[in-house]
Amino acid sequence: KFAKAYIKRGIAYGNKGQFDKAIFDYTKVIEISPDFADAYDNRGAAHLDKGQFDHAITDYNKVIEMNPNNVDAYNNRGIAYYKKRQFNEAISDYNKAIELDPLYVEAYFNRGNAYRNLQQYEAALADFRRAIELNPDDAQVYFNLGALFVNTGQLPKSLPYLEKAVLLGHSQAVDVIAQVQEALGMEA
């Protein structure tokens, strides 16, 4: 009974950005019910939001230990590794998430970003394209794909993706389009 109250309050604190209070409540839930995987998962998310990546990884490890098929735990642990710039570890977790759920868009997007940081551009390109296939309305994926072409010096190829990102509401893409058009000698 108390565990449910703490978990609900922890979620409310997390939604308000009060991560220390959320972590406190999730820790209380774990003290009461040490086998409650959602408490570790939620605490991991709060640690991730606070930039406490090692703590997040520890919590996601526990979630995975309790449920080795938890797709979100692999993806979220991958995010923590990514934030620590441990891209190969992140890719390993995104691979596992995709293995468990081949339609998990976020894992393709995240893995694409990790590949991009490792300058494995073909792999990043494939993941961003797969993410678009699975969710053609995600402005951020179009933006990242356009940015990938900018980063690799393929400016003309970037424009259709950046323009699509703008159409889907990505405001930063407007500035990048202007820079690409200027570099290409085009008028805005």
Side-chain angles (χ1 to χ4, degrees):
K1 183 178 179 181
F2 288 114
K4 277 189 174 181
Y6 278 117
I7 202 95
K8 285 182 180 179
R9 191 171 75 176
I11 290 168
Y13 282 138
N15 289 338
K16 291 180 177 181
Q18 297 177 348
F19 303 118
D20 288 327
K21 290 179 178 180
I23 290 167
F24 177 85
D25 280 355
Y26 298 137
T27 301
K28 282 291 190 191
V29 173
I30 291 165
E31 290 170 4
I32 296 166
S33 302
D35 294 331
F36 192 26
D38 285 350
Y40 291 98
D41 192 40
N42 291 354
R43 188 172 72 178
H47 282 305
L48 197 57
D49 287 334
K50 274 198 75 172
Q52 298 174 331
F53 307 125
D54 290 327
H55 292 301
I57 289 167
T58 298
D59 281 339
Y60 291 128
N61 287 343
K62 188 69 175 174
V63 175
I64 291 166
E65 176 187 315
M66 296 167 107
N67 179 3
N69 294 320
N70 187 316
V71 176
D72 291 324
Y74 284 104
N75 185 64
N76 292 337
R77 187 174 70 179
I79 292 169
Y81 281 126
Y82 179 91
K83 296 282 189 177
K84 290 183 65 171
R85 303 194 59 76
Q86 293 178 328
F87 301 120
N88 289 314
E89 292 83 350
I91 288 168
S92 178
D93 276 347
Y94 302 141
N95 287 342
K96 185 64 177 180
I98 290 166
E99 174 189 320
L100 292 170
D101 181 358
L103 302 178
Y104 194 31
V105 178
E106 189 177 347
Y108 286 102
F109 174 75
N110 291 337
R111 189 174 71 178
N113 285 325
Y115 280 134
R116 188 187 69 215
N117 277 281
L118 291 173
Q119 297 182 352
Q120 295 179 18
Y121 298 124
E122 289 302 316
L125 179 65
D127 277 346
F128 290 147
R129 285 192 168 144
R130 181 67 177 137
I132 286 171
E133 286 174 21
L134 295 171
N135 184 6
D137 296 323
D138 189 330
Q140 188 64 48
V141 179
Y142 283 98
F143 177 80
N144 283 26
L145 187 50
L148 177 67
F149 285 122
V150 171
N151 293 342
T152 58
Q154 300 175 69
L155 300 182
K157 282 187 176 181
S158 72
L159 288 173
Y161 297 103
L162 294 170
E163 289 166 355
K164 180 71 172 182
V166 170
L167 289 175
L168 293 171
H170 197 292
S171 59
Q172 188 181 355
V174 173
D175 295 331
V176 178
I177 288 171
Q179 293 167 2
V180 168
Q181 288 175 331
E182 182 178 332
L184 292 172
M186 299 170 65
E187 291 188 26

